[in-house]
Structure formats: structure tokens, C-alpha cells
Amino acid sequence: MAANILVVEDEPAIQELLAFNVTQCGFRAIQAMDVASATAEINRALPDLILLDWMLPDTPGVELARRLRADQRTRNIPIIMLTARTDERDKVMGLESGADDYITKPFSPRELMARIRAVLRRRMPQMSEDTVRAEGLELSPTTHRVSANGSSLDLGPTEFRLLHFFMTHAERVYSRAQLLDQVWGDHVFVEERTVDVHIRRLRQAMEPSGLDRLVQTVRGSGYRFSSN
Ligand code: CA
């Protein structure tokens, strides 16, 4: 699954360069020229990572970073700040505002991509290509294969993403809205009961192995992947 990267940069040449590199690396670039349009994009669908310029025409990038960190829905989106500033004090301020990493212009595209990958690996384990295992389940993002107690499971793409998310976020309860944000990337246009439909399909596929018990309904709250 390609990560969606929101690129917030007002200088057209740099915006294009960033979007080009992001796309070349197999990610999807969503472009915004200022904080207002970035906010509109984030309200529509949560990006997997934000490349955020410091100097923007309407509001400073650090201010957006602060707002995102203060909001329950957006607090975990990884942010990499981009800036021409090299001042140590600004760097500290950028990181204090909640950015995960910091890169100064001019940057080498290679370094930037390496940092994007590192931040995604750290912050969004479901974006990693690593094989994940839990109980008798084994899921490989690269081959798109899942097995339960050694026999392969036939999952649709949504059930696959849902299971991958659950396996990398075990023991935590997620509401339907949170699952829509995290797995579908869209909490506005997809109805919450869609989640229930795919949970049901996922459980049906897991049933023969008895591992459907791992996907638990938490009454009044949502769902949890748990071995207990
Ligand atoms: Ca700028």
C-alpha cells in the first residue's frame, strides 16, 4: 500500500521537486501550497506523513505542526519539517512543535527519502514491508500473503490492510472512525458500518483456523486485536 504524503510547500519549483521525488519512491504525493489548503486535505483524509515547509504564506509551518499535535485525530501523523533555516534555535523549536524530523534546504532528494522511510518505519509500522507475526498468523506486505497456522488465507485488499493494521497495533481499542482514518484514509465519505462489513469478512476468513477470536468487538467503543 502506497503511503500518502502531504507536501506543504509554497515555492512551486520546490513543491514540484518534492512531489516528483515522493512519487518516484512509490509514495503518493498530495500537494498543498499553504496551511489552509493543507488543513482542508487533512480534514478530508489523514495523510501518512507530512512534509511541512517552515515559511508559508498564511501561517508558519510550525504552527500547523503544533495544531496537529494538539488534536486527538491528527496527533500521530508523522511530520518532517523543511526549512532554509539552519539556526540551532529554530531546529529546537521545530522539534518542540512536534516534528519528528527536520531537514534544511537545499536537501538531497536521497537524504530526504531516507528520512521519510525512517520516520514511516518508526511511526507507522503498518507502512513497513516487514513480515508480521502474531499467534498463528503470518502476514507479508511484500508478497501480500497471509497464513493462519500454516494454511494460506484468502483476503480481499481491505481485509488485508485491516489485518495488517491490527497486527501492528495489537491490544489497543480503535473506534470505527479511527479505523476509517487509519485503514481507509477517509473518515468523511465512508460510512462507519462499512468497517463492520469488513470486520465480518475478515473474521469469516479467519474462522477455520479459530483465530477469528483475535479480532474482538469492544462494546460501545470499537474493535481490538488481542490474544487475551
Ligand atoms: Ca516557503
Side-chain angles (χ1 to χ4, degrees):
M1 166 177 48
N4 292 315
I5 301 194
L6 176 60
V7 181
V8 193
E9 165 65 78
D10 59 313
E11 286 159 72
I14 301 177
Q15 168 68 257
E16 285 312 313
L17 176 72
L18 288 168
F20 175 77
N21 280 292
V22 158
T23 312
Q24 284 292 102
C25 282
F27 303 119
R28 212 167 71 85
I30 301 147
Q31 298 172 266
M33 305 293 267
D34 52 28
V35 167
S37 51
T39 305
E41 288 294 345
I42 296 163
N43 288 342
R44 205 175 51 75
L46 279 188
D48 298 305
L49 183 142
I50 304 176
L51 288 180
L52 181 59
D53 187 29
W54 183 297
M55 301 288 276
L56 291 164
D58 52 351
T59 309
V62 275
E63 181 51 36
L64 176 61
R66 258 188 222 112
R67 280 184 211 162
L68 295 174
R69 287 297 178 254
D71 182 340
Q72 173 76 29
R73 178 177 170 253
T74 55
R75 78 163 36 127
N76 293 319
I77 306 174
I79 300 171
I80 298 178
M81 293 285 311
L82 298 167
T83 179
R85 298 172 180 224
T86 48
D87 214 332
E88 198 57 31
R89 207 188 48 203
D90 290 338
K91 188 167 172 168
V92 170
M93 195 175 153
L95 293 173
E96 277 178 353
S97 71
D100 294 270
D101 204 351
Y102 190 98
I103 194 160
T104 41
K105 297 180 204 169
F107 48 83
S108 90
R110 235 169 112 182
E111 186 193 353
L112 179 66
M113 291 309 133
R115 292 200 187 202
I116 289 177
R117 289 211 174 89
V119 168
L120 281 176
R121 207 174 303 123
R122 195 164 72 231
R123 294 290 298 263
M124 306 241 120
Q126 80 273 25
M127 287 291 158
S128 141
E129 301 284 279
D130 299 341
T131 296
V132 276
R133 294 176 184 86
E135 300 291 305
L137 287 171
E138 185 172 308
L139 179 149
S140 160
T142 43
T143 62
H144 255 259
R145 290 213 168 116
V146 190
S147 63
N149 296 330
S151 33
S152 105
L153 287 189
D154 193 16
L155 296 184
T158 305
E159 289 74 43
F160 183 90
R161 287 207 308 276
L162 194 54
L163 183 61
H164 194 194
F165 179 78
F166 276 142
M167 289 176 77
T168 50
H169 296 80
E171 308 300 336
R172 277 169 273 178
V173 180
Y174 290 92
S175 68
R176 289 168 180 80
Q178 284 172 324
L179 289 171
L180 284 176
D181 257 340
Q182 300 289 335
V183 179
W184 279 257
D186 185 341
H187 70 124
V188 181
F189 298 109
V190 184
E191 284 181 68
E192 292 201 354
R193 63 165 185 239
T194 301
V195 175
D196 303 329
V197 171
H198 290 278
I199 291 272
R200 200 178 315 131
R201 285 188 197 156
L202 178 60
R203 281 178 174 151
Q204 273 164 7
M206 293 167 80
E207 216 176 333
S209 64
L211 294 174
D212 55 311
R213 67 181 164 85
L214 299 172
V215 180
Q216 303 173 353
T217 303
V218 182
R219 204 165 285 278
S221 305
Y223 295 101
R224 171 178 59 204
F225 183 86
S226 172
S227 44
N228 301 314

